[in-house]
Amino acid sequence: MGLHPLEFSECYLDSPIFREKIKAHEAELDKTNRFIKELYKDGKNLINATKQLVLAQRKFAQSLGEFQFEYIGDAKTDDERCIGECGAVTTYSWMRNITETLMKPLEKFRKEQLGSAKAERKKYEKETEKYYSSLEKLLNMSAKKKEPQLQEADSQVETIRQHFQEESLDYVCKLQEIQERKKFDCVEPMLAFFQTVFTFYHQGFELANDFNHYKKALQINIQNTRSRFEGTRVEVFELMKRIREVPQEYRQTSPISSEGYLYVQEKRPPPFGSSWVKRYCTFVKEQKILHMVTFDHRSGGKMGETESVTLKSCVRKTTDMLDRRFCLDIEITDRPGTVLTVQSLSEDDHKFWIHAMGGKEPVIDAQLDDVGLSFVKNAINAIETRGINDQGLYRVVGVSSKVQKLLSLMIDEKSNDVDLSTCEDWDVKTITSTLKLYLSPESRSQAIHCLVHKLPEKNRLVLGLLMKHLATVAAHSKLNLMTVANLGVVFGPTLMRPQEDTVAAIMDLKFQNIVVEILIEQHEKVTLVPLTTVTSIDQSSNIVPQSCKEESLSKTHR
């Protein structure tokens, strides 16, 4: 298992697990830094040793060349000439370029990239300390102070919180960028160094030939890695920008649980009163279980033991009963009569926890109906009639407001009788964008992974229609320039859109295109084989895996 991706949404939760992930990334960069420093030191020692070897070789060659003896005849023999002309045979020429090809690039990467990561780390740690210190000061403030004072204090902490979260986003982005960059910034100088070695050594000519296929493959791998890095980098920055604009939409990290910090009131024996302990809490909605783990970044980031309680009820605690804001009283099923008092971090956080602990989110299971099927047929017919030869078909997007308006119109049973193939009110790019928008729920992604033949009949019918349509689009690629590969790029994210916009999902984009390409190229074999004929498929067929065949067979015999 490699390093876990650092999700931007976790910057707003700042959970202990997130801190552990950051520590793992920092440890990896520290290890890379030590490796480059040791390599640089050993390289300098090797160069110095090689220089001493060269001096000895030259001295030996000079002595050998000056050795004189009498010979018979008017000329020297080949052997004699060889001895006289042996000169200074050196083995260090390939070392001359080691500094430029290997040492300097690695040292530059260490100082610039790893050095900037250390600087970002210090800023991140400084902002962490500043935010949590100001937060504790705010939470300890008396609720009986005048409202303008409270509002001013809230505003100051909110500004510090936003600055801390933005610094966290930048630091996470920087860590992952360097982790990806080192794949080519460190390996490329090594490849150049190897090339220098093999070019110089004539006696290693055969070895260089054997290495050639590996060198070419490595060059391709480096180029592919660099290209993927650039593409992924754009996606990551776009995701960070979206999260920064509306961070509240990314607060909920899971549909079945809620996470965040709460200060828990712990009562002590008289006369010590009570204390407030910061804990990272995870509430599992279905079981109504609240997991609490003590964690404070100032204690070295060590996690305490996890305490779990079952929630019976949760009510807001007023400031009349307790001189603290943002408090909740939690009644615990495990301990009858016991009420746990907790304090959230802000008013918005207070509302978040009340909503989270009040009940489960409804499970939405979208079903494909006759109206949706009619719209898909209508849209495909219009696209093939009016725009099959348009360049950039499906890649050029329509105006968002028009797309939403058309989608609302087409899925309304009272007004969905518009024939898009003859209606000039809607251009082709609006129709293609509307079709892509309609086909984007998570259920399609899950259904594809469960194999085409396990889809509901209407869903499978729509998939068949769409794949046949895309095959028709690809057949006109000489004019519309939309090859199977290009359509895979367009429809991969559409048909297999992840439930959440995360860094991990961006890293998996490369696999989505391949799945869609296969569906388009083999649409007749994959989407048009009915379940009732699966029993006649040869057992060696690659249409569906054995597990799917067995399930289909059992359904057929019922």
Side-chain angles (χ1 to χ4, degrees):
M1 182 63 186
L3 293 172
H4 290 282
L6 297 174
E7 302 296 349
F8 293 127
S9 58
E10 291 183 297
C11 294
Y12 295 90
L13 291 172
D14 196 31
S15 69
I17 300 299
F18 175 59
R19 290 282 179 158
E20 290 295 319
K21 291 179 182 178
I22 286 183
K23 281 187 178 180
H25 278 260
E26 291 171 346
E28 175 60 22
L29 294 185
D30 288 341
K31 184 174 71 174
T32 303
N33 185 63
R34 291 194 300 272
F35 165 75
I36 294 176
K37 289 180 70 175
E38 285 296 318
L39 187 65
Y40 190 86
K41 177 182 176 181
D42 293 340
K44 289 181 67 176
N45 291 337
L46 177 59
I47 291 174
N48 292 332
T50 304
K51 288 180 179 178
Q52 295 300 319
L53 174 63
V54 169
L55 293 176
Q57 287 176 327
R58 286 178 175 174
K59 184 65 172 64
F60 175 77
Q62 182 180 2
S63 298
L64 186 62
E66 292 175 351
F67 178 72
Q68 300 292 329
F69 56 90
E70 294 296 332
Y71 58 91
I72 302 174
D74 297 329
K76 297 180 180 179
T77 65
D78 291 339
D79 292 337
E80 293 165 347
R81 187 177 295 107
C82 181
I83 292 175
E85 295 175 357
C86 63
V89 180
T90 66
T91 60
Y92 85 107
S93 297
W94 58 272
M95 296 296 296
R96 294 175 180 171
N97 291 328
I98 186 173
T99 300
E100 297 297 328
T101 60
L102 180 62
M103 309 292 287
K104 286 186 177 180
L106 288 180
E107 185 66 2
K108 180 181 178 182
F109 175 83
R110 188 183 72 83
K111 290 182 177 180
E112 293 183 358
Q113 299 298 327
L114 300 182
S116 63
K118 285 187 177 181
E120 287 292 332
R121 179 177 178 178
K122 290 181 180 179
K123 289 172 59 180
Y124 175 67
E125 292 173 348
K126 180 180 179 181
E127 290 300 325
T128 298
E129 177 62 29
K130 182 178 179 181
Y131 165 60
Y132 283 113
S133 296
S134 63
L135 180 63
E136 290 184 2
K137 183 178 179 181
L138 173 71
L139 297 178
N140 284 318
M141 180 180 290
S142 172
K144 296 180 180 179
K145 287 185 177 292
K146 294 181 179 180
E147 188 61 26
Q149 291 179 302
L150 295 176
Q151 290 179 357
E152 181 180 0
D154 288 349
S155 177
Q156 289 177 349
V157 171
E158 183 59 28
T159 301
I160 296 174
R161 178 190 289 116
Q162 291 177 2
H163 191 69
F164 161 68
Q165 290 171 344
E166 289 185 2
E167 183 60 37
S168 181
L169 287 172
D170 291 335
Y171 183 50
V172 165
C173 189
K174 185 67 175 179
L175 282 178
Q176 296 189 131
E177 179 180 343
I178 294 177
Q179 297 286 16
E180 291 297 311
R181 184 183 292 277
K182 72 180 184 183
K183 294 178 183 177
F184 49 85
D185 275 354
C186 289
V187 178
E188 210 165 31
M190 295 182 184
L191 180 62
F193 169 65
F194 293 154
Q195 182 62 35
T196 302
V197 174
F198 291 126
T199 300
F200 172 78
Y201 275 113
H202 182 70
Q203 70 245 29
F205 179 77
E206 292 297 331
L207 178 61
N209 280 341
D210 293 339
F211 178 77
N212 193 48
H213 72 284
Y214 173 76
K215 181 192 70 174
K216 291 181 178 178
L218 188 56
Q219 288 174 331
I220 294 173
N221 291 338
I222 292 174
Q223 183 59 42
N224 290 342
T225 302
R226 186 186 295 275
S227 299
R228 282 194 295 269
F229 166 78
E230 295 297 337
T232 302
R233 189 174 182 224
V234 172
E235 294 282 349
V236 167
F237 273 105
E238 284 296 322
L239 174 59
M240 184 176 68
K241 180 180 178 182
R242 292 198 299 271
I243 292 180
R244 179 171 285 173
E245 291 173 350
V246 283
Q248 63 277 7
E249 294 185 8
Y250 293 85
R251 170 68 191 273
Q252 187 75 21
T253 59
S254 170
I256 63 173
S257 65
S258 301
E259 302 179 37
Y261 281 105
L262 289 172
Y263 281 78
V264 182
Q265 185 182 36
E266 295 187 354
K267 296 181 179 180
R268 296 182 177 181
F272 300 105
S274 63
S275 61
W276 294 83
V277 180
K278 186 174 71 172
R279 293 189 172 186
Y280 192 80
C281 300
T282 303
F283 180 67
V284 183
K285 296 182 179 180
E286 187 172 354
Q287 290 82 22
K288 292 189 175 181
I289 297 177
L290 181 65
H291 301 287
M292 302 178 292
V293 56
T294 304
F295 178 81
D296 194 328
H297 66 280
R298 288 175 295 191
S299 63
K302 293 183 179 180
M303 296 174 60
E305 294 184 0
T306 300
E307 179 184 0
S308 301
V309 296
T310 303
L311 182 74
K312 183 177 181 180
S313 64
C314 172
V315 295
R316 181 190 300 269
K317 194 172 186 69
T318 64
T319 55
D320 296 334
M321 302 176 61
L322 181 67
D323 190 20
R324 278 183 174 243
R325 298 187 296 163
F326 321 135
C327 290
L328 302 169
D329 274 346
I330 300 174
E331 189 176 356
I332 301 172
T333 303
D334 317 60
R335 310 174 208 160
T338 301
V339 176
L340 193 66
T341 302
V342 299
Q343 183 182 26
S344 53
L345 308 185
S346 65
E347 185 62 36
D348 289 339
D349 198 44
H350 196 204
K351 295 177 182 178
F352 169 79
W353 281 110
I354 290 177
H355 176 74
M357 295 182 179
K360 298 184 294 184
E361 295 288 335
V363 179
I364 301 175
D365 186 12
Q367 296 293 328
L368 182 65
D369 55 12
D370 293 333
V371 176
L373 180 58
S374 175
F375 162 63
V376 173
K377 290 181 178 179
N378 193 349
I380 289 177
N381 182 46
I383 295 168
E384 293 187 353
T385 302
R386 297 170 52 194
I388 196 66
N389 292 324
D390 288 359
Q391 291 190 4
L393 186 62
Y394 282 114
R395 185 182 292 275
V396 179
V397 297
V399 178
S400 178
S401 59
K402 290 185 178 180
V403 172
Q404 293 290 347
K405 184 176 181 181
L406 177 58
L407 182 59
S408 300
L409 175 68
M410 298 310 297
I411 63 177
D412 186 352
E413 295 184 8
K414 298 180 181 179
S415 59
N416 64 352
D417 55 350
V418 178
D419 185 357
L420 296 176
S421 63
T422 59
C423 181
E424 297 294 328
D425 294 337
W426 308 101
D427 55 22
V428 175
K429 64 182 180 182
T430 300
I431 299 174
T432 57
S433 297
T434 306
L435 180 59
K436 289 194 294 180
L437 178 63
Y438 179 73
L439 294 172
S440 65
E442 172 65 14
S443 58
R444 274 59 170 189
S445 173
Q446 295 175 345
I448 290 177
H449 284 288
C450 291
L451 297 176
V452 172
H453 296 280
K454 295 176 69 176
L455 285 170
E457 181 180 358
K458 290 182 179 179
N459 294 70
R460 183 163 49 85
L461 179 58
V462 168
L463 182 63
L465 289 171
L466 179 63
M467 292 303 109
K468 181 180 178 182
H469 164 61
L470 294 183
T472 303
V473 173
H476 293 74
S477 61
K478 289 185 178 179
L479 293 176
N480 60 33
L481 304 182
M482 294 306 292
T483 62
V484 171
N486 287 340
L487 291 170
V489 171
V490 173
F491 275 86
T494 301
L495 295 178
M496 302 181 68
R497 185 178 301 278
Q499 185 177 6
E500 297 178 285
D501 286 335
T502 64
V503 175
I506 292 175
M507 296 301 180
D508 288 336
L509 286 177
K510 52 184 175 290
F511 301 110
Q512 299 173 357
N513 307 350
I514 299 173
V515 174
V516 175
E517 288 180 31
I518 294 173
L519 286 174
I520 296 174
E521 292 175 344
Q522 304 184 21
H523 71 280
E524 293 184 352
K525 181 169 63 174
V526 174
T527 63
L528 301 182
V529 178
L531 287 174
T532 54
T533 63
V534 173
T535 54
S536 63
I537 298 177
D538 185 80
Q539 293 298 313
S540 64
S541 173
N542 290 325
I543 296 178
V544 290
Q546 188 65 29
S547 60
C548 186
K549 295 177 185 176
E550 292 173 355
E551 180 176 345
S552 300
L553 286 169
S554 64
K555 290 180 180 179
T556 304
H557 289 294
R558 288 176 188 167

